[in-house]
Amino acid sequence: QVQLVESGGGLVQAGGSLRLSCTASGRTFSGDTMGWFRQAPGKEREFVAGINWSGVNTRYADSVKGRFTISRDNAKNTVYLQMSSLKLEDTAVYYCAAGLMTGIWASRTQYDNWGQGTQVTVSS
């Protein structure tokens, strides 16, 4: 059974940091592009960051560029999202996703494995 499990979410003050982790099981994901998406209440799920299979190439939403960093450890089947300088508007459920693709796509439809999500709440 293929599973993606996110962890590391929580409550943090504005300006603070959190690191999310996503561990995959059921098969190797070393060939997949991995992505982080988020969904705030009443809003569409949106792309946050993505990383290609080797970890060499990354892509970020403009809203998080310079504040978030995505990385991966294929030996551990794990992808990370380091979030710094958090803002109130970063509050959302964060989802990890995996997909086989060329490049790093921001479209949800390119990812066919999803985690259950982890809540990140930024307070003032």
Side-chain angles (χ1 to χ4, degrees):
Q1 183 181 359
V2 176
Q3 266 195 318
L4 298 177
V5 179
E6 302 95 338
S7 61
L11 176 65
V12 63
Q13 284 193 321
S17 299
L18 276 178
R19 189 176 83 154
L20 305 184
S21 299
C22 170
T23 299
S25 62
R27 65 169 175 87
T28 180
F29 283 79
S30 59
D32 288 56
T33 291
M34 302 296 293
W36 285 97
F37 289 74
R38 67 187 181 187
Q39 188 167 16
K43 294 189 176 181
E44 294 287 316
R45 191 173 299 189
E46 64 175 1
F47 174 81
V48 174
I51 188 166
N52 77 324
W53 68 272
S54 68
V56 170
N57 295 318
T58 58
R59 178 178 177 179
Y60 297 92
D62 288 343
S63 59
V64 306
K65 209 170 288 184
R67 300 188 297 121
F68 291 10
T69 302
I70 188 171
S71 60
R72 67 189 297 164
D73 184 339
N74 285 340
K76 296 181 179 179
N77 243 11
T78 299
V79 63
Y80 305 97
L81 185 67
Q82 178 67 48
M83 306 186 294
S84 303
S85 301
L86 283 160
K87 303 177 181 180
L88 297 179
E89 53 264 42
D90 294 319
T91 294
V93 177
Y94 283 71
Y95 297 90
C96 172
L100 287 170
M101 66 191 77
T102 300
I104 304 168
W105 289 79
S107 170
R108 290 175 291 171
T109 60
Q110 298 297 316
Y111 298 81
D112 48 21
N113 290 106
W114 290 83
Q116 292 301 305
T118 186
Q119 176 71 47
V120 172
T121 303
V122 184
S123 65
S124 59

